[in-house]
């Protein structure tokens, strides 16, 4: 047990935010990232350090499991636990890939216009995937249809023809840190803008655009 | 939903299960591993479990409790609130109030479903409890429908939903958010972004 905790410590030291996490906190973070990603309409910032830590930890546990004697109660419990964590992890990654496939031109455009200091919303692997997906789509469209078109119709602007993430969609959220004076835009023109306070622990239904920065900072959790 | 469930109480039962599992409890005979002293704690990423001693209750995550129960290795102790009197009170309170009342557990429905399905023999008056929880649930879902309807009619842009549990939100959440998104688009007169309908690559 001690060994595992040390390992998690080392991993987090190596990560960019330099916070030492216990395995339980690590899993919590993964679950938060997972739920946010599931419910947010757009692709969120990549949490690659969490993903790497979890993968390393899972590999380590599975390595240990191979060595352990069969039929031990411990082994079956561990196996279940790793299975559960692996499910969350792959669901998280799959959800991100799904969004990349859906919004690839916009994701790549955002990546292109991103300034150096800003954190990337794609991990290196996801970036490679998005680029390849874009190239393949373009080739496919060209081979199947475009090259048979008259020359003036042979171009398709993917940025305009692929739907953008709908930031106006509604989300449910729970508040982790109290927020004051959040401006809510009205639904119709007759209504006026108004401000609300988000109290810690309260739950809300609101348009994603209003609270998108709070999701990124971790002040609210999508549910 | 995805949060680690609140633990159920778990008790190893050495006597009752003699026919199924070895009468001698297994934990103490586990070999020490990797230089550890013979320690009965099972290290887990989500926190250590155990020690498992026959007859003594231990707190474990729900998934483990259910798994051990299915393998007939333990007896489950239901949470304090899973009690006919308390649940009756809860149901009446819920019926009286206009708003959602706080639930004894953020996963009351999931917990009671799992415990009642897998360990009904360990819960006194399981059937009554099942009915009470179902009644509370129905009341709450009815309230949720009414308030969703009001939300849509009044064209609100924000709603507060305290004390609503995750499962309750997910029963109608996806539908509600999509419907609201569509209506918002219709109202603001925005055309759906070109290609939404036809070009899904």
């Amino acid at each position: 047990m001690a060994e595992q905790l040390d390992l998690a410590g080392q991993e987090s030291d190596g990560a960019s935010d330099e916070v030492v996490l216990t395995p339980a906190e690590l899993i919590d973070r993964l679950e938060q990232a997972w739920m946010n990603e599931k419910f947010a309409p757009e692709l969120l910032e990549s949490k690659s350090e969490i993903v790497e830590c979890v993968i390393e930890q899972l590999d380590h546990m599975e390595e240990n499991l191979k060595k352990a004697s069969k039929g031990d109660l411990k082994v079956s419990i561990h196996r279940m636990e790793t299975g559960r964590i692996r499910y969350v992890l792959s669901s998280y990654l799959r959800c991100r890939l799904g969004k990349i496939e859906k919004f690839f031109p916009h994701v790549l455009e955002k990546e292109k216009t991103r300034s150096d200091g800003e954190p990337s919303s794609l991990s290196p692997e996801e970036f490679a995937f998005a680029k390849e997906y874009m190239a393949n789509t373009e080739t496919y469209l060209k081979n199947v249809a475009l090259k048979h078109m008259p020359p003036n119709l042979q171009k398709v602007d993917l940025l305009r023809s692929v739907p953008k993430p709908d930031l106006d969609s509604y989300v449910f959220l729970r508040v982790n840190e109290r927020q004051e004076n959040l401006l809510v835009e009205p639904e119709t023109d007759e209504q006026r803008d108004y401000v609300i306070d988000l109290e810690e622990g309260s739950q809300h239904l609101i348009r994603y655009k209003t609270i998108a920065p709070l999701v990124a900072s971790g002040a609210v959790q999508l549910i | 939903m995805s949060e680690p469930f609140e633990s159920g109480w778990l008790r190893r039962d050495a006597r009752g299960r003699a026919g199924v599992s070895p009468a001698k409890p297994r934990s103490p005979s586990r070999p020490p591993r990797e230089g550890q002293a013979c320690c009965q704690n099972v290290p887990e990423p989500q926190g250590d479990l155990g020690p498992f001693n026959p007859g003594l209750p231990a707190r474990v995550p729900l998934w483990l409790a259910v798994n051990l129960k299915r393998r007939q290795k333990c007896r489950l102790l239901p949470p304090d609130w899973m009690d006919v009197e308390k649940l009756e009170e809860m149901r009446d309170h819920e019926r009286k109030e206009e708003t959602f009342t706080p639930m004894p557990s953020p996963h009351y429905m999931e917990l009671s479903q799992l415990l009642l399905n897998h360990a009904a023999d360990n819960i006194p008056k399981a059937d009554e409890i099942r009915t009470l929880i179902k009644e509370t649930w129905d009341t709450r879902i009815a309230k949720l429908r009414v308030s969703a309807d009001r939300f849509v009619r009044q064209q609100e842009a924000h709603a507060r939903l305290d004390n609503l549990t995750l499962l309750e939100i997910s029963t109608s959440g996806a539908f509600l958010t999509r419907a609201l998104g569509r209506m918002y688009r219709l109202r603001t007169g925005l055309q759906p972004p070109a290609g939404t309908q036809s070009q899904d690559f």
Side-chain angles (χ1 to χ4, degrees), chain A residues 109-124:
Chain A
E109 185 65 21
K110 200 173 158 196
E111 184 68 16
K112 234 187 277 169
T113 51
R114 163 178 78 93
S115 58
D116 281 342
E118 247 177 283
S120 169
S121 61
L122 293 168
S123 72

Side-chain angles (χ1 to χ4, degrees), chain A residues 158-221:
Chain A
L158 286 175
L159 261 180
R160 286 181 54 203
S161 50
V162 175
K164 274 192 187 141
D166 178 14
L167 300 183
D168 282 319
S169 62
Y170 280 81
V171 289
F172 291 94
L173 64 95
R174 186 185 307 123
V175 184
N176 294 335
E177 292 161 33
R178 188 185 153 78
Q179 302 292 325
E180 282 171 0
N181 298 331
L182 196 73
L183 188 73
V184 182
E185 289 169 38
E187 274 281 280
T188 51
D189 291 337
E190 301 98 68
Q191 290 165 334
R192 288 245 185 95
D193 289 4
Y194 59 99
V195 288
I196 49 163
D197 294 344
L198 302 182
E199 276 159 45
E200 198 180 325
S202 60
Q203 302 183 135
H204 302 262
L205 170 63
I206 200 166
R207 224 174 294 141
Y208 176 74
K209 214 190 328 192
T210 327
I211 47 96
L214 301 177
V215 174
S217 73
V220 303
Q221 163 81 47

